[in-house]
C-alpha cells in the first residue's frame, strides 16, 4: 500500500510558517530548523509547492520562500495534492486468484471503498485553510512539548 508520506506534514508546516511571516519570506534552512529536518528535504517539498503555485521562491542573498496566495486561499488539501503521489489506498501488489470466490470480486469492491475514503480525506482537508490552522496554532498557547 502506497499511503501517505511525511511530505504533507512538511508542506503544511512550511505553509503555516510562511503564513505566520505575514508576507515576508523564510529560507529553507529556517523552515528546516523548525521541522528539525534537513534543508534539502524541505527544498524538495517547497519545490512541489512552487510547482502548484502555492509558494514563490526568490534567489540570492535576500532570497527565500513566500506564499503565492493568501493563507485563507490555501487549504490543507491544496498542500496534500501538491506533494503526494498517487492514491492513499491501493489494491494488492499482485492480483488475487480469479478462481477464489473472495479474490474474484474483492478488487472492485475495495476500489469503491477506497475511493470513498479518499473523497472523505479530500473533503476534510479541503475544509481547513492555512489561515484557520495558523489561528488555531497561535491560539493554543501551549508550552513547548517534547516528542
Amino acid at each position: 500500500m502506497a499511503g501517505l508520506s511525511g511530505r504533507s506534514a512538511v508542506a503544511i508546516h512550511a505553509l503555516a510558517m510562511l503564513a505566520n511571516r505575514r508576507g515576508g519570506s523564510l529560507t529553507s534552512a529556517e523552515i528546516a530548523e523548525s521541522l528539525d529536518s534537513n534543508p534539502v528535504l524541505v527544498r524538495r517539498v517547497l519545490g512541489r509547492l512552487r510547482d502548484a503555485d502555492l509558494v514563490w521562491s526568490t534567489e540570492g542573498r535576500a532570497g527565500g520562500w513566500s506564499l503565492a496566495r493568501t493563507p485563507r486561499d490555501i487549504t490543507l488539501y491544496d498542500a496534500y495534492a501538491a506533494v503526494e503521489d498517487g492514491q492513499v489506498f491501493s489494491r494488492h501488489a499482485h492480483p488475487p486468484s480469479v478462481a477464489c470466490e473472495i479474490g474474484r470480486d474483492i478488487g472492485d469492491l475495495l476500489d469503491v471503498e477506497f475511493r470513498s475514503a479518499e473523497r472523505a480525506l479530500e473533503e476534510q482537508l479541503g475544509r481547513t485553510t492555512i489561515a484557520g490552522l495558523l489561528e488555531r496554532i497561535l491560539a493554543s498557547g501551549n508550552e513547548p512539548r517534547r516528542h
Side-chain angles (χ1 to χ4, degrees):
M1 192 181 305
L4 288 174
S5 72
R7 290 185 301 265
S8 290
V10 170
I12 292 166
H13 187 123
L15 291 168
M17 287 187 69
L18 293 170
N20 193 42
R21 190 64 124 184
R22 292 182 178 84
S25 65
L26 291 169
T27 66
S28 53
E30 290 170 313
I31 296 168
E33 183 178 330
S34 176
L35 284 157
D36 198 17
S37 184
N38 185 312
V40 173
L41 166 76
V42 172
R43 275 192 295 278
R44 283 188 196 129
V45 170
L46 288 167
R48 286 180 169 218
L49 294 174
R50 180 186 53 219
D51 293 345
D53 297 321
L54 298 175
V55 299
W56 287 318
S57 62
T58 306
E59 294 186 23
R61 176 169 256 185
W65 299 88
S66 57
L67 293 179
R69 299 190 219 162
T70 65
R72 72 177 175 278
D73 292 330
I74 302 172
T75 66
L76 301 189
Y77 180 73
D78 294 328
Y80 161 82
V83 301
E84 295 296 343
D85 296 319
Q87 299 173 312
V88 175
F89 301 104
S90 59
R91 286 187 180 203
H92 304 296
H94 303 284
S97 171
V98 294
C100 171
E101 73 178 315
I102 302 298
R104 189 172 31 248
D105 294 318
I106 194 166
D108 292 338
L109 295 171
L110 282 178
D111 285 346
V112 170
E113 294 299 319
F114 290 168
R115 185 62 199 131
S116 177
E118 287 175 354
R119 272 193 307 274
L121 173 69
E122 292 168 12
E123 289 171 11
Q124 179 63 38
L125 294 177
R127 283 195 274 275
T128 303
T129 66
I130 294 298
L133 181 67
L134 179 61
E135 187 176 295
R136 289 175 24 212
I137 292 167
L138 297 176
S140 70
N142 290 331
E143 291 295 314
R145 291 182 230 157
R146 286 277 195 232
H147 296 286

